[in-house]
Amino acid sequence: MVGMCINSTVNISFGTYQIPVNLTRSTIEGALKAEYRGIDCAPVYFNEHIIGDVLSEHFSKNILQRKDIFIKSKLPSPFHRKEYVEKALRKTLSDLRTDYLDLYLVHWPVAFYPVEDALDTSRRGYLDESIDDSNEGRNIDPKVSVHETWEAMEDLVEKGLVRQIGVSNFPVSLLHELMSKCRIPPIVNQVEMHPYLQQTKLLTYCKKRGIQVEAYSPLGTPGNKEKDDPMVMDDPVLRAIAKKRNVTVAQVCLAWALQRGTFVVVKSVSFDRQVENLMVQQDGFLTLDGEELAMIAELDRGYRFFRPEDWWGYMGMAVFA
């Protein structure tokens, strides 16, 4: 087994999901200036090529060194078959202008049929969004096992192309199955997690198995909610705690996540918000007391903002059911 250790100094990573293309460069430049040292990427965010340009410029000008930045990306669903996994990674490496990733995740535990012409490394980015098109689930490939994909992920570590591997959006049952046969266990499981979706049982299982949990959407996706979705940031309990502590609601949510022992991925296109969010990792900035933690525990609704059963209805693909 290859020994692995996630970078514990990067407990808050900067997220890059749904940053408008015309704001990606300035947003990443701002995040680096604010001293984010973990960048969370994915091909299906369709901005890795821009992020790679910004990082490359910082490295070439000696503003930062490659070793200073923990770069993370994800394997898209059309490339779960073993013969495509390394090709997909090499496309990401090309777009991010780096020789290796610090962490590579299986983005979703669902394979799609391959998009044959998408992995052209001579082209920056992607011509269209076909690698993220499930056609309401009709493009799901039911013949690819998680073990096939994971064996190819393990090969990437052994070839030195990635330092560590993990998963995203994996429920307990699938994690348990994956770990029954793996050579290299997943170092992290990145999942939606916030006060309305606390996933306590998943968190407990991962801690027992030595898997770090990383929370995405720790603020409840305020910029990506459907009309009838609740707004975590408007919750009266969280607002009351924030007012009492003279901090923002976002800072309360992030402090809560860190105190639970999870890492977080958080995004803002506002430089001031980027700085505010990162302040939470400073020693002594905000430690919630037992009463406050108990109040937040009562907010759990099991509410998901990311619902794959809505995207993949043709296959009835309720990943988290």
Side-chain angles (χ1 to χ4, degrees):
M1 181 185 300
V2 177
M4 303 173 70
C5 180
I6 195 168
N7 188 339
S8 60
T9 64
V10 185
N11 51 18
I12 299 180
S13 291
F14 190 76
T16 59
Y17 175 59
Q18 287 201 329
I19 300 176
V21 171
N22 64 319
L23 296 179
T24 298
R25 170 173 283 276
S26 61
T27 298
I28 299 303
E29 290 174 340
L32 295 173
K33 181 180 178 181
E35 299 190 357
Y36 284 85
R37 292 299 178 258
I39 307 294
D40 183 84
C41 310
V44 297
Y45 302 164
F46 300 105
N47 53 18
E48 286 191 328
H49 59 299
I50 304 173
I51 296 166
D53 289 345
V54 174
L55 291 174
S56 179
E57 290 166 13
H58 278 65
F59 299 150
S60 65
K61 295 176 182 178
N62 290 319
I63 300 171
L64 292 166
Q65 297 181 50
R66 172 65 183 86
K67 65 182 179 61
D68 297 328
I69 305 297
F70 193 90
I71 303 177
K72 180 191 331 165
S73 189
K74 307 175 187 78
L75 175 70
S77 289
F79 310 118
H80 280 208
R81 287 186 176 273
K82 61 183 179 181
E83 62 266 30
Y84 290 104
V85 172
E86 183 175 332
K87 293 177 182 178
L89 170 66
R90 289 189 180 278
K91 171 61 175 169
T92 279
L93 293 177
S94 175
D95 281 348
L96 289 173
R97 297 192 186 278
T98 185
D99 295 329
Y100 69 93
L101 292 181
D102 296 282
L103 179 61
Y104 196 42
L105 308 178
V106 178
H107 201 159
W108 283 93
V110 177
F112 294 174
Y113 293 115
V115 181
E116 298 285 351
D117 59 350
L119 300 179
D120 182 358
T121 56
S122 68
R123 182 178 59 232
R124 306 286 292 150
Y126 293 87
L127 290 176
D128 54 38
E129 297 189 1
S130 57
I131 64 167
D132 196 34
D133 181 14
S134 74
N135 190 18
E136 298 182 346
R138 292 175 178 83
N139 289 341
I140 289 175
D141 185 348
K143 295 184 178 180
V144 183
S145 78
V146 66
H147 295 293
E148 175 182 341
T149 304
W150 193 252
E151 287 172 6
M153 294 283 285
E154 291 169 323
D155 290 343
L156 301 178
V157 177
E158 292 168 349
K159 291 179 179 180
L161 295 172
V162 302
R163 299 288 173 83
Q164 303 169 114
I165 50 177
V167 297
S168 182
N169 300 300
F170 271 52
V172 167
S173 58
L174 199 51
L175 271 177
H176 198 73
E177 172 61 22
L178 173 62
M179 295 184 74
S180 70
K181 297 181 181 180
C182 64
R183 304 193 311 273
I184 304 174
I187 194 71
V188 66
N189 186 18
Q190 186 186 100
V191 296
E192 179 184 350
M193 190 175 281
H194 44 74
Y196 285 2
L197 182 66
Q198 300 187 18
Q199 301 221 63
T200 303
K201 292 180 179 178
L202 174 65
L203 182 58
T204 298
Y205 177 84
C206 287
K207 286 181 177 179
K208 293 286 187 182
R209 298 303 303 270
I211 302 170
Q212 176 67 48
V213 173
E214 184 170 52
Y216 71 76
S217 299
L219 312 182
T221 66
N224 187 46
K225 59 186 287 296
E226 300 293 335
K227 179 181 178 181
D228 296 326
D229 283 339
M231 178 68 83
V232 172
M233 301 283 279
D234 288 343
D235 187 273
V237 171
L238 298 175
R239 290 170 68 91
I241 293 172
K243 182 177 181 180
K244 181 180 76 170
R245 293 302 198 101
N246 194 30
V247 297
T248 67
V249 173
Q251 289 170 332
V252 170
C253 291
L254 295 172
W256 169 80
L258 294 179
Q259 282 184 240
R260 299 178 87 211
T262 65
F263 291 173
V264 295
V265 176
V266 66
K267 177 201 77 178
S268 177
V269 297
S270 161
F271 179 74
D272 290 342
R273 290 281 186 265
Q274 292 173 6
V275 172
E276 283 180 356
N277 291 340
L278 203 57
M279 289 171 64
V280 176
Q281 69 180 357
Q282 298 174 6
D283 289 341
F285 176 79
L286 176 61
T287 302
L288 301 171
D289 62 31
E291 181 180 359
E292 291 165 333
L293 291 172
M295 292 167 64
I296 296 174
E298 292 295 318
L299 300 180
D300 193 7
R301 310 180 183 186
Y303 194 91
R304 296 184 183 277
F305 292 93
F306 292 87
R307 301 180 288 269
E309 63 271 22
D310 293 348
W311 316 330
W312 303 330
Y314 177 80
M315 285 286 287
M317 202 73 187
V319 173
F320 306 115

